[in-house]
Amino acid sequence: MEYDIHIIGGGLAGSEAAWQCARRGLKVRLSEMRGDAAGDRSPAHQTDALAEMVCSNSLRSDDHTANAVGLLHQEMRELGSLVMAAADKARVPAGSALAVDRDVFSAEIEAALAAQPTLTIVRERVDQLPDAGLTIISTGPLTGEALAGSIGEATGAGALAFFDAIAPIIHRDSIDMSVCWMASRWDKGETKDYINCPMTQEQYEAFHAALIAGEKTEFKEWEANTPYFDGCMPIEVMAERGIETLRFGPMKPVGLDNPHDATPEFPNGRWPYAVVQLRQDNKLGTLWNIVGFQTKLRHAEQIRIFRTIPGLENAEFARLGGLHRNTFLNSPTLLDRQLRLKSHPHIRFAGQITGCEGYVESAAVGLLAGLMASAEATSREWQSPPRTTALGGLLAHITGDAEAETYQPMNINFGLFPPIAATNTNGKKLRKPDRKLAYTQRAKADLLAWIGSVAL
Ligand SMILES: Cc1cc2nc3c(=O)[nH]c(=O)nc-3n(C[C@H](O)[C@H](O)[C@H](O)COP(=O)(O)OP(=O)(O)OC[C@H]3O[C@@H](n4cnc5c(N)ncnc54)[C@H](O)[C@@H]3O)c2cc1C
C-alpha cells in the first residue's frame, strides 16, 4: 500500500483529519467525490472546493471565555487546526461571531493541503468501505448512496440512521422545578424518569394555536420528497390534525399525578389537562430533550413558543429542533472511544456522520480522528483529551456517554461538560456568566496539561 491512511470525504472533517496526519509526515490519500470525472456532487454542495460550507458562512461565537463553541475554536487552535487557521485568515466582520468568506476559507484549506508533500488529493467517489488499511470515513450527512449502503451492511440493518427530525434540548438547570415535577407515567418503574410540565386547558389551547400560527422553515427542493416517519412527525403537523391530537399523543396527561396540585381528595395530586415531558439526554443529567417535540418552526419561534410552557419560561436551549435529511451513525453503540467501528476497527469515522452537528464540531471530530489515526499508524499510545475540555466532552458524548436510544446530532454546549461545583465567596452557586467562565478556565488548564503530557 502506498499510503498510511486513507481519508474518504474532503469536507470540514476530512480536510482537518488529512492535515493532522500529513503534518506528522504520514502518507495520506484524501478521496473526494466532488470534482471527479462523473461530476458527482451531494444535493447541498455547490462547488468542487474542499471544506465547502454548504449553508451559513459562520463558525458561530468566537468568545472562548463564555461560549462553548468559542472554547472549541480555541482548543482547535492550540492543536494547530487547519480549519481554524483558514477561518482566521478568511474572517469577515460579524461581531463576536467568527464568520468567513467561504471561498477564501476553502481556498486556504485546499492550498495548505496541496502543499503537503505526503498528501495526495484524489477526486474519486468511493462506493465500498475498504477491506483493510487505516481508514477515516468523513463523508458527512449527505454520504454517497452506495457508500452509505456499504456502511449500513457493516454496521447492521437499521444501524445507519436516516434522520429527519430533531427535538429541542434544554439545560436542566434552567427548568423551574417549583412548577414541574419528576415522574414516570403511572409511576411505572422504580425511578421517576421524566420531567413533567403541567398545562391547564387555557394554556393548552393557547399553545396549540401558537404552534399552528408559528412561522415554519420551508423545505429545500430536495428535501420535499423525504417522507416523514410517523414516529417523527413534527409537533406543528400533529397540531394541524386537530385540537386533541397532541393531548392523545406527546402531551398525554393520563397517569401523571401532579404533586403541586394535591388536594385532600387527591393527596398524590391530579392529572393536568395536558403535559409536556422531558427526557434525560446525557449521562451527566445536564441536558433534557422535549419528548415528541421535533419541529420545523423557525428557531426564534421555538424559543418564543416553548418558553410559554409552564416551568420552561426561562429555558436555555442547548439545541433547537430542526428537520432535514441526514445520515449519521448510532455512534455510542457502534464506535469505540477512538471513533473506530467496533466490528471493523481499521475504519474510523469523523465529522457529522458520527452524530456531532455543525461545521466546527465536524472539523473538531476530524481533528481528533486525525490525531488518533496518526498515533495508531506510528504505534503510539493514545490518550483522549480530558472530558472537562470541549474536545473531550464532545468525544465522550459521541463515543458512549450519550443515550444510544435517543441519540441525535449534537452541537457542543456546556451541558456536555461535567458540572462544575464552584461557588462564590458566599458559598452560593455561581451565576451564569461566572459559571461559564469557570467552565472555560477549567477546560483551558486541563487541555494544556493534556497537551503537555501526551506525545502528539
Ligand atoms: C443542507 C445542510 C445545511 C447545513 N448548514 C449548516 C450551517 O449553516 N452551519 C453549520 O454549522 N452546519 C451546517 N450543516 C451541518 C454540518 O455542519 C455540515 O454538513 C458540515 O459540512 C459537516 O462536515 P463533514 O465534514 O462531516 O461533512 P461535509 O462537509 O459534507 O463533507 C463530506 C464530504 O464527503 C464527500 N463525499 C460524500 N460521499 C462520498 C463518497 N462516497 N466518496 C467520496 N467523497 C464523498 C462530499 O462531497 C463532501 O465533500 C448543514 C448540513 C446540511 C446537510
Side-chain angles (χ1 to χ4, degrees):
M1 188 180 304
E2 78 276 19
Y3 46 87
D4 303 309
I5 299 170
H6 187 186
I7 299 176
I8 302 173
L12 277 290
S15 297
E16 183 65 52
W19 169 253
Q20 295 294 341
C21 297
R23 69 195 281 253
R24 288 172 170 77
L26 293 162
K27 293 196 198 108
V28 179
R29 180 187 186 96
L30 175 59
S31 301
E32 168 52 55
M33 72 175 181
R34 288 176 294 120
D36 69 3
D40 283 305
R41 195 167 278 177
S42 86
H45 288 84
Q46 312 265 317
T47 74
D48 293 340
L50 295 182
E52 177 181 334
M53 299 168 103
V54 287
C55 187
S56 100
N57 67 331
S58 173
L59 300 181
R60 318 201 310 275
S61 172
D62 200 28
D63 177 356
H64 54 83
T65 59
N67 188 289
V69 77
L71 176 66
L72 188 55
H73 290 173
Q74 206 54 25
E75 293 186 2
M76 292 170 72
R77 289 185 182 109
E78 290 286 352
L79 290 164
S81 161
L82 174 60
V83 164
M84 290 314 302
D88 288 334
K89 281 195 188 151
R91 186 173 204 139
V92 295
S96 62
L98 175 52
V100 303
D101 175 318
R102 69 182 75 229
D103 296 332
V104 175
F105 172 75
S106 280
E108 285 288 338
I109 288 179
E110 199 149 336
L113 292 179
Q116 288 295 310
T118 59
L119 174 73
T120 313
I121 301 167
V122 187
R123 300 294 183 157
E124 63 181 358
R125 195 187 70 218
V126 176
D127 287 342
Q128 286 288 322
L129 285 178
D131 293 332
L134 283 185
T135 305
I136 297 176
I137 305 289
S138 46
T139 43
L142 305 166
T143 293
E145 226 172 278
L147 183 62
S150 173
I151 296 168
E153 272 168 36
T155 52
L160 189 68
F162 288 92
F163 134 88
D164 63 345
I166 55 177
I169 292 182
I170 290 178
H171 288 279
R172 170 73 166 77
D173 60 6
S174 67
I175 300 171
D176 184 352
M177 293 305 290
S178 67
V179 175
C180 307
W181 80 102
M182 301 285 308
S184 295
R185 203 178 295 279
W186 302 113
D187 275 333
K188 272 192 188 146
E190 287 175 8
T191 50
K192 300 176 186 299
D193 287 342
Y194 290 83
I195 293 177
N196 299 281
C197 312
M199 272 192 192
T200 62
Q201 181 171 359
E202 200 185 354
Q203 287 165 333
Y204 174 79
E205 285 170 2
F207 182 72
H208 180 266
L211 283 179
I212 290 181
E215 227 187 306
K216 330 281 185 314
T217 41
E218 294 308 316
F219 274 120
K220 284 197 191 313
E221 199 187 317
W222 51 270
E223 287 175 322
N225 302 327
T226 310
Y228 299 129
F229 289 116
D230 243 16
C232 267
M233 180 84 59
I235 186 91
E236 60 277 3
V237 175
M238 265 186 270
E240 278 164 10
R241 293 188 167 182
I243 181 83
E244 290 291 55
T245 308
L246 292 173
R247 251 173 38 90
F248 284 92
M251 296 178 70
K252 191 165 56 181
V254 295
L256 288 167
D257 297 332
N258 179 2
H260 300 306
D261 190 20
T263 59
E265 201 186 341
F266 297 98
N268 296 331
R270 291 184 299 181
W271 300 351
Y273 188 75
V275 170
V276 174
Q277 289 199 301
L278 292 96
R279 179 170 47 212
Q280 187 169 334
D281 202 81
N282 64 343
K283 288 202 167 74
L284 294 172
T286 49
L287 300 174
W288 290 69
N289 65 65
I290 316 188
V291 181
F293 268 46
Q294 50 278 356
T295 177
K296 246 176 94 66
L297 286 168
R298 285 193 182 280
H299 282 179
E301 290 288 79
Q302 290 183 39
I303 296 171
R304 181 181 68 78
I305 296 171
F306 296 157
R307 280 191 180 154
T308 65
I309 297 170
L312 303 188
E313 292 85 352
N314 297 309
E316 291 293 334
F317 293 84
R319 186 194 67 196
L320 287 159
L323 200 93
H324 48 130
R325 200 171 69 125
N326 203 339
T327 300
F328 68 100
L329 298 172
N330 194 312
S331 298
T333 45
L334 294 172
L335 304 186
D336 71 9
R337 292 287 185 183
Q338 280 204 47
L339 298 164
R340 290 175 298 212
L341 197 55
K342 288 177 189 164
S343 59
H344 300 68
H346 65 288
I347 307 272
R348 238 184 204 90
F349 283 88
Q352 183 132 346
I353 197 166
T354 64
C356 63
E357 167 94 23
Y359 300 141
V360 185
E361 290 83 347
S362 298
V365 177
L367 185 154
L368 287 168
L371 292 181
M372 290 167 177
S374 301
E376 194 169 336
T378 51
S379 304
R380 277 178 294 119
E381 207 180 311
W382 169 258
Q383 202 191 318
S384 290
R387 54 166 315 161
T388 48
T389 63
L391 283 164
L394 186 61
L395 178 67
H397 182 77
I398 292 168
T399 58
D401 282 11
E403 291 298 338
E405 268 180 35
T406 57
Y407 190 58
Q408 292 283 313
M410 175 61 90
N411 284 128
I412 186 71
N413 65 80
F414 288 120
L416 300 185
F417 295 60
I420 205 143
T423 49
N424 63 18
T425 41
N426 302 326
K428 291 221 170 99
K429 203 172 143 189
L430 289 180
R431 289 158 66 122
K432 211 193 261 163
D434 296 332
R435 211 162 61 235
K436 288 182 176 173
L437 186 62
Y439 275 117
T440 57
Q441 283 176 338
R442 178 180 68 176
K444 285 174 191 171
D446 288 356
L447 186 85
L448 290 182
W450 174 74
I451 291 174
S453 70
V454 288
L456 294 171

